[in-house]
Amino acid sequence: VADDTAAIQAAINAAATAGKSLYIPAGIYDVTTLYFYYDASNNTGYPSGTRIQGRMIVQGEGCSNRTNHTWIDYQAGTLINCTSTTADGLKFGNASNSVSMHVRDIAVWGDTSGTLVDLDYLPQYSHFRDLFIGNRGSGTALKLRSIWASLFENIDLQGEPSTGVQGKGIWFDNEGTSGTPTIGGGLNTFINITTSYFATGQQWHNVYQASGTGSRVNTFIGLQSRRCTQGINFYHGFNCEVTGLWTEHNTSYAVKIAETASDITLNNVQ
């Protein structure tokens, strides 16, 4: 099986440099790690030095649809298959280099103990929509860290039911290295986020409001968690509005609000 990492990374860098959108047609693409930002060690071909450079739209040809809730039964679409069992898969931004991204209509699969899709320090007005993210491994399917004023819509995250639930579906974390929410993030909207077959379906960690730090006023519309050990966890959360929360067959708990979480409004919980 051919490794498509170099070809797709070159296309990402060329599109970012030219200020163009990147279209990925239907097909299965085997990759290790893809960088959507400048990295001095791993991706020097991406525009560097300013967050204005490199803004781009990444467009697939539809996420691959699953049927019967099985891992292997998929239909056509744009599928990025991350082959490493330990490395991160798709990486968007870090503390030094990040850009506004619009990513849509793509499926990402993997079997990693790392993070399959890693969004770190994204600036304002990023938009991720119509994505399927499936991780068979013990890591995290989608991790969000220090995200500002962005929209996440119609994202389906799934673990591997046949080998036992493990890992996290979505992990929103504004925690700094000292264990405190010092890096900021907030004013985001999450619509139609679904997690299935994980040890922890959704962990909204340090969704936090404090003077000069932390995450402020995130809005959640339509959170769903099914067949996870732990369903949906708000931990150290402040000033959040949740409308439409549905859980099914989560074995430890369905919804948990813990550790000084306050000012979290829940509407229409099932």
Side-chain angles (χ1 to χ4, degrees):
V1 177
D3 187 303
D4 301 302
T5 305
I8 296 179
Q9 188 66 70
I12 292 168
N13 295 348
T17 300
K20 303 292 187 180
S21 298
L22 175 64
Y23 169 70
I24 306 177
I28 300 175
Y29 304 91
D30 291 329
V31 304
T32 50
T33 301
L34 296 175
Y35 295 85
F36 291 83
Y37 61 93
Y38 175 86
D39 186 281
S41 299
N42 299 294
N43 188 31
T44 58
Y46 202 98
S48 64
T50 172
R51 294 188 178 193
I52 296 176
Q53 290 179 296
R55 292 183 179 179
M56 62 186 300
I57 295 172
V58 181
Q59 173 73 57
E61 201 169 302
C63 343
S64 302
N65 296 318
R66 73 186 194 281
T67 59
N68 300 323
H69 300 290
T70 62
W71 187 263
I72 59 173
D73 190 6
Y74 290 89
Q75 299 177 12
T78 299
L79 169 61
I80 298 176
N81 181 42
C82 300
T83 57
S84 174
T85 58
T86 57
D88 296 342
L90 276 60
K91 295 179 68 66
F92 296 87
N94 61 18
S96 300
N97 299 283
S98 60
V99 297
S100 296
M101 301 291 302
H102 286 218
V103 181
R104 60 189 67 148
D105 295 316
I106 291 174
V108 184
W109 295 0
D111 184 0
T112 183
S113 58
T115 298
L116 190 57
V117 179
D118 185 17
L119 280 59
D120 202 357
Y121 288 89
L122 286 187
Q124 298 176 5
Y125 313 127
S126 291
H127 189 182
F128 287 71
R129 60 173 293 184
D130 300 329
L131 305 177
F132 172 81
I133 303 172
N135 187 29
R136 306 175 182 88
S138 60
T140 299
L142 173 61
K143 184 172 183 180
L144 312 173
R145 186 168 183 257
S146 192
I147 310 297
W148 281 102
S150 293
L151 175 63
F152 300 85
E153 184 177 7
N154 299 335
I155 300 178
D156 186 2
L157 303 109
Q158 183 177 320
E160 171 53 88
S162 67
T163 57
V165 296
Q166 58 182 338
K168 290 184 175 72
I170 185 168
W171 183 10
F172 183 105
D173 187 8
N174 283 327
E175 186 171 83
T177 56
S178 64
T180 58
T182 58
I183 58 177
L187 304 174
N188 301 294
T189 300
F190 299 87
I191 301 174
N192 229 10
I193 309 298
T194 302
T195 49
S196 307
Y197 302 108
F198 292 103
T200 301
Q202 301 178 29
Q203 182 164 315
W204 305 99
H205 185 203
N206 281 327
V207 189
Y208 192 88
Q209 168 140 358
S211 178
T213 64
S215 179
R216 301 166 178 82
V217 195
N218 292 285
T219 300
F220 305 88
I221 303 172
L223 300 182
Q224 303 180 51
S225 178
R226 63 183 302 274
R227 299 191 182 277
C228 297
T229 304
Q230 301 173 350
I232 300 173
N233 182 5
F234 289 93
Y235 181 84
H236 283 304
F238 289 76
N239 285 4
C240 297
E241 179 82 16
V242 183
T243 300
L245 190 155
W246 179 82
T247 68
E248 177 189 31
H249 301 304
N250 299 284
T251 57
S252 177
Y253 59 76
V255 180
K256 184 177 182 181
I257 301 175
E259 296 292 336
T260 68
S262 66
D263 295 327
I264 295 180
T265 303
L266 301 179
N267 302 303
N268 193 18
V269 177
Q270 300 184 30

Coordinates of all heavy atoms in Angstrom, one line a residue, residues 55-108:
R55 N -3.8 30.8 5.8 CA -5.2 30.5 6.0 C -5.8 29.7 4.8 O -5.5 30.1 3.7 CB -6.0 31.8 6.2 CG -5.7 32.5 7.5 CD -6.5 33.8 7.7 NE -6.2 34.5 8.9 CZ -6.7 35.6 9.3 NH1 -7.6 36.2 8.5 NH2 -6.4 36.1 10.4
M56 N -6.6 28.7 5.1 CA -7.0 27.9 4.0 C -8.3 27.1 4.3 O -8.6 26.9 5.4 CB -5.8 26.9 3.6 CG -5.5 25.9 4.7 SD -4.0 24.9 4.2 CE -4.6 24.1 2.8
I57 N -8.9 26.6 3.2 CA -10.0 25.8 3.3 C -9.6 24.4 2.8 O -9.0 24.3 1.7 CB -11.2 26.3 2.4 CG1 -11.7 27.6 2.9 CG2 -12.3 25.3 2.3 CD1 -12.7 28.3 2.0
V58 N -9.9 23.4 3.5 CA -9.7 22.0 3.2 C -11.0 21.3 2.9 O -11.8 21.2 3.8 CB -8.9 21.2 4.2 CG1 -8.6 19.8 3.8 CG2 -7.6 22.0 4.6
Q59 N -11.2 20.9 1.7 CA -12.5 20.4 1.3 C -12.4 18.9 0.8 O -11.6 18.6 -0.1 CB -13.1 21.2 0.2 CG -14.4 20.7 -0.5 CD -15.6 20.9 0.4 OE1 -15.9 22.0 0.9 NE2 -16.3 19.8 0.7
G60 N -13.1 18.0 1.4 CA -13.2 16.7 0.9 C -14.4 16.4 0.0 O -15.2 17.4 -0.3
E61 N -14.7 15.2 -0.3 CA -15.9 14.8 -1.1 C -16.9 14.0 -0.3 O -17.4 13.0 -0.8 CB -15.4 14.0 -2.3 CG -16.4 14.1 -3.5 CD -15.8 13.5 -4.8 OE1 -14.7 14.1 -5.2 OE2 -16.3 12.6 -5.3
G62 N -17.1 14.4 0.9 CA -18.0 13.8 1.8 C -17.4 12.8 2.7 O -16.4 12.1 2.3
C63 N -17.8 12.8 4.0 CA -17.3 11.8 4.9 C -17.8 10.4 4.5 O -18.9 10.3 4.1 CB -17.7 12.0 6.3 SG -18.3 13.3 7.1
S64 N -17.0 9.4 4.7 CA -17.4 8.0 4.5 C -18.4 7.6 5.5 O -18.2 7.8 6.7 CB -16.2 7.1 4.6 OG -15.2 7.5 3.6
N65 N -19.6 7.2 5.1 CA -20.7 6.8 6.0 C -20.6 5.4 6.5 O -20.2 4.5 5.7 CB -22.0 7.0 5.3 CG -22.3 8.4 4.9 OD1 -22.0 9.3 5.6 ND2 -22.8 8.6 3.7
R66 N -20.8 5.2 7.7 CA -20.9 3.8 8.3 C -22.3 3.3 8.3 O -23.2 4.1 8.4 CB -20.2 3.8 9.7 CG -21.1 4.4 10.7 CD -20.3 4.4 12.1 NE -21.2 4.7 13.2 CZ -21.7 5.8 13.5 NH1 -21.4 6.9 12.8 NH2 -22.5 6.0 14.6
T67 N -22.5 2.0 8.2 CA -23.8 1.5 8.4 C -23.7 0.4 9.4 O -22.6 -0.3 9.6 CB -24.3 0.9 7.0 OG1 -23.4 -0.1 6.6 CG2 -24.4 1.9 6.0
N68 N -24.8 0.1 10.1 CA -24.9 -1.0 11.1 C -23.9 -0.8 12.2 O -23.6 -1.8 13.0 CB -24.7 -2.4 10.4 CG -25.7 -2.6 9.3 OD1 -26.8 -2.3 9.5 ND2 -25.3 -3.2 8.3
H69 N -23.4 0.4 12.4 CA -22.5 0.7 13.6 C -21.3 -0.3 13.6 O -20.9 -0.7 14.7 CB -23.2 0.7 14.9 CG -24.3 1.7 14.9 ND1 -24.1 3.0 15.0 CD2 -25.7 1.5 14.9 CE1 -25.3 3.7 15.0 NE2 -26.2 2.8 14.9
T70 N -20.8 -0.7 12.5 CA -19.6 -1.5 12.4 C -18.4 -0.7 11.9 O -18.6 0.3 11.1 CB -19.8 -2.8 11.6 OG1 -20.1 -2.4 10.2 CG2 -21.0 -3.6 12.1
W71 N -17.2 -1.2 12.2 CA -16.1 -0.4 11.8 C -15.7 -0.5 10.3 O -15.2 0.4 9.7 CB -14.9 -0.8 12.7 CG -13.7 0.0 12.5 CD1 -12.6 -0.2 11.6 CD2 -13.5 1.3 13.1 NE1 -11.8 0.9 11.7 CE2 -12.2 1.8 12.6 CE3 -14.2 2.1 14.0 CZ2 -11.7 3.0 12.9 CZ3 -13.6 3.3 14.4 CH2 -12.4 3.7 13.8
I72 N -16.0 -1.6 9.7 CA -15.4 -1.8 8.4 C -16.4 -1.6 7.3 O -16.1 -1.7 6.1 CB -14.9 -3.3 8.3 CG1 -16.0 -4.3 8.5 CG2 -13.8 -3.5 9.2 CD1 -15.6 -5.7 8.3
D73 N -17.7 -1.3 7.6 CA -18.7 -1.1 6.5 C -18.9 0.3 6.2 O -19.6 1.0 6.8 CB -20.0 -1.8 7.1 CG -21.0 -1.9 5.9 OD1 -20.7 -1.6 4.8 OD2 -22.1 -2.3 6.2
Y74 N -18.1 0.8 5.2 CA -18.2 2.2 4.8 C -18.5 2.4 3.4 O -18.2 1.5 2.5 CB -16.8 2.9 5.1 CG -16.6 3.0 6.6 CD1 -15.9 2.0 7.3 CD2 -17.0 4.2 7.3 CE1 -15.7 2.1 8.6 CE2 -16.8 4.3 8.6 CZ -16.1 3.3 9.3 OH -15.9 3.4 10.7
Q75 N -19.0 3.5 3.0 CA -19.3 3.9 1.6 C -18.3 4.9 1.2 O -17.4 5.3 1.9 CB -20.7 4.4 1.5 CG -21.7 3.3 1.9 CD -23.1 3.8 1.9 OE1 -23.4 4.9 1.3 NE2 -24.0 3.1 2.4
A76 N -18.4 5.3 -0.1 CA -17.3 6.2 -0.7 C -17.3 7.6 -0.1 O -18.3 8.1 0.4 CB -17.6 6.3 -2.2
G77 N -16.2 8.2 -0.1 CA -15.9 9.5 0.4 C -14.5 9.8 0.4 O -13.7 9.0 -0.1
T78 N -14.1 10.9 1.1 CA -12.7 11.2 1.3 C -12.2 10.7 2.6 O -12.7 11.1 3.7 CB -12.4 12.7 1.2 OG1 -12.8 13.2 -0.1 CG2 -11.0 13.1 1.4
L79 N -11.4 9.7 2.6 CA -10.9 9.0 3.9 C -9.4 9.2 4.0 O -8.6 8.8 3.1 CB -11.3 7.6 3.8 CG -10.7 6.7 4.9 CD1 -11.1 7.2 6.3 CD2 -11.1 5.2 4.7
I80 N -9.0 9.8 5.1 CA -7.6 9.8 5.5 C -7.3 8.8 6.5 O -7.8 8.9 7.6 CB -7.2 11.2 5.9 CG1 -7.4 12.3 4.8 CG2 -5.7 11.3 6.4 CD1 -7.1 13.7 5.2
N81 N -6.5 7.8 6.2 CA -6.2 6.7 7.1 C -4.8 6.9 7.7 O -3.8 6.8 7.0 CB -6.3 5.4 6.3 CG -6.0 4.2 7.2 OD1 -6.5 4.1 8.3 ND2 -5.2 3.2 6.7
C82 N -4.8 7.2 9.0 CA -3.6 7.5 9.7 C -3.0 6.1 10.2 O -3.6 5.4 11.0 CB -3.8 8.4 10.9 SG -4.4 10.0 10.3
T83 N -1.8 5.8 9.7 CA -1.3 4.4 9.9 C -0.5 4.2 11.2 O -0.2 3.1 11.6 CB -0.5 4.0 8.7 OG1 0.6 5.0 8.5 CG2 -1.3 4.0 7.4
S84 N 0.0 5.3 11.8 CA 0.9 5.1 13.0 C 0.0 4.7 14.2 O -1.1 5.2 14.4 CB 1.6 6.4 13.3 OG 2.3 6.2 14.5
T85 N 0.5 3.8 15.0 CA -0.2 3.4 16.2 C 0.2 4.2 17.4 O -0.4 4.0 18.5 CB 0.0 1.9 16.5 OG1 1.5 1.7 16.7 CG2 -0.5 1.0 15.4
T86 N 1.1 5.1 17.3 CA 1.6 5.9 18.4 C 1.5 7.4 18.1 O 1.4 8.2 19.1 CB 3.0 5.6 18.9 OG1 3.9 5.7 17.7 CG2 3.0 4.1 19.4
A87 N 1.7 7.9 16.9 CA 1.9 9.3 16.6 C 0.5 9.9 16.4 O -0.5 9.3 16.2 CB 2.7 9.5 15.3
D88 N 0.5 11.3 16.5 CA -0.7 12.0 16.2 C -1.0 11.9 14.7 O 0.0 11.8 13.9 CB -0.5 13.5 16.6 CG -0.4 13.7 18.1 OD1 -0.8 12.8 18.8 OD2 0.1 14.8 18.5
G89 N -2.2 12.1 14.3 CA -2.6 12.0 12.8 C -2.6 13.3 12.1 O -1.6 13.6 11.4
L90 N -3.6 14.1 12.3 CA -3.7 15.4 11.7 C -3.5 16.5 12.7 O -4.2 16.5 13.7 CB -5.1 15.6 11.0 CG -5.3 15.1 9.6 CD1 -5.0 13.6 9.5 CD2 -6.7 15.4 9.1
K91 N -2.5 17.4 12.5 CA -2.2 18.4 13.5 C -2.4 19.8 12.9 O -1.9 20.1 11.9 CB -0.7 18.2 13.9 CG -0.4 16.9 14.6 CD 1.1 16.8 15.0 CE 1.5 17.7 16.1 NZ 0.8 17.5 17.4
F92 N -3.2 20.5 13.7 CA -3.6 21.9 13.3 C -3.1 22.9 14.4 O -3.7 23.0 15.4 CB -5.1 22.0 13.1 CG -5.7 21.2 12.0 CD1 -6.1 19.9 12.3 CD2 -5.9 21.7 10.8 CE1 -6.7 19.1 11.3 CE2 -6.5 21.0 9.8 CZ -6.8 19.7 10.0
G93 N -1.9 23.5 14.1 CA -1.4 24.5 15.0 C -0.7 24.1 16.2 O -0.8 23.0 16.7
N94 N 0.1 25.0 16.7 CA 0.8 24.9 18.0 C 0.9 26.3 18.6 O 0.4 27.2 18.1 CB 2.1 24.2 17.9 CG 3.1 24.9 17.1 OD1 3.0 26.1 16.8 ND2 4.2 24.2 16.6
A95 N 1.6 26.4 19.8 CA 1.6 27.7 20.5 C 2.3 28.8 19.6 O 2.0 30.0 19.8 CB 2.4 27.5 21.8
S96 N 3.2 28.4 18.7 CA 3.9 29.4 17.9 C 3.4 29.7 16.6 O 3.4 30.8 16.1 CB 5.4 28.9 17.8 OG 6.0 28.8 19.0
N97 N 2.8 28.6 16.0 CA 2.3 28.8 14.6 C 0.9 28.1 14.4 O 0.8 26.9 14.6 CB 3.3 28.1 13.6 CG 4.7 28.7 13.7 OD1 4.9 29.8 13.1 ND2 5.6 28.0 14.4
S98 N 0.0 28.9 14.1 CA -1.4 28.4 13.9 C -2.1 29.3 13.0 O -1.8 30.5 12.9 CB -2.1 28.1 15.2 OG -2.3 29.3 15.9
V99 N -3.1 28.8 12.2 CA -3.8 29.6 11.3 C -5.3 29.2 11.3 O -5.7 28.2 11.8 CB -3.3 29.4 9.8 CG1 -1.8 29.8 9.7 CG2 -3.4 27.9 9.4
S100 N -6.1 30.2 10.9 CA -7.6 29.9 10.8 C -7.8 28.8 9.7 O -7.3 28.9 8.6 CB -8.4 31.1 10.5 OG -8.3 32.1 11.5
M101 N -8.6 27.8 10.0 CA -8.8 26.7 9.1 C -10.3 26.5 8.9 O -11.1 26.6 9.9 CB -8.2 25.4 9.6 CG -6.7 25.4 9.9 SD -5.7 25.6 8.4 CE -6.3 24.1 7.5
H102 N -10.7 26.1 7.7 CA -12.0 25.6 7.4 C -11.8 24.2 6.8 O -11.2 24.1 5.8 CB -12.8 26.5 6.4 CG -13.2 27.8 7.0 ND1 -14.4 28.4 6.7 CD2 -12.7 28.6 7.9 CE1 -14.6 29.5 7.3 NE2 -13.5 29.7 8.1
V103 N -12.3 23.2 7.5 CA -12.2 21.8 7.1 C -13.5 21.2 7.1 O -14.3 21.3 8.0 CB -11.2 21.1 8.1 CG1 -11.1 19.6 7.7 CG2 -9.9 21.8 8.2
R104 N -13.9 20.5 6.0 CA -15.2 20.0 5.8 C -15.2 18.7 4.9 O -14.4 18.5 4.1 CB -16.1 21.0 5.3 CG -15.7 21.5 3.9 CD -16.6 22.7 3.4 NE -16.3 23.9 4.3 CZ -16.4 25.1 3.8 NH1 -16.7 25.4 2.5 NH2 -16.2 26.2 4.6
D105 N -16.2 17.8 5.2 CA -16.5 16.7 4.4 C -15.3 15.7 4.2 O -15.0 15.3 3.1 CB -17.0 17.2 3.0 CG -18.3 17.9 3.0 OD1 -19.2 17.5 3.7 OD2 -18.4 19.0 2.4
I106 N -14.8 15.3 5.4 CA -13.6 14.4 5.4 C -13.8 13.4 6.5 O -14.4 13.7 7.6 CB -12.3 15.2 5.6 CG1 -12.0 16.0 4.3 CG2 -11.1 14.2 5.9 CD1 -10.8 16.9 4.5
A107 N -13.4 12.2 6.3 CA -13.3 11.2 7.3 C -11.9 10.9 7.6 O -11.0 10.9 6.8 CB -14.0 9.9 6.8
V108 N -11.6 10.7 8.9 CA -10.3 10.4 9.4 C -10.4 9.1 10.2 O -11.1 9.1 11.2 CB -9.6 11.5 10.2 CG1 -8.2 11.2 10.6 CG2 -9.7 12.8 9.5

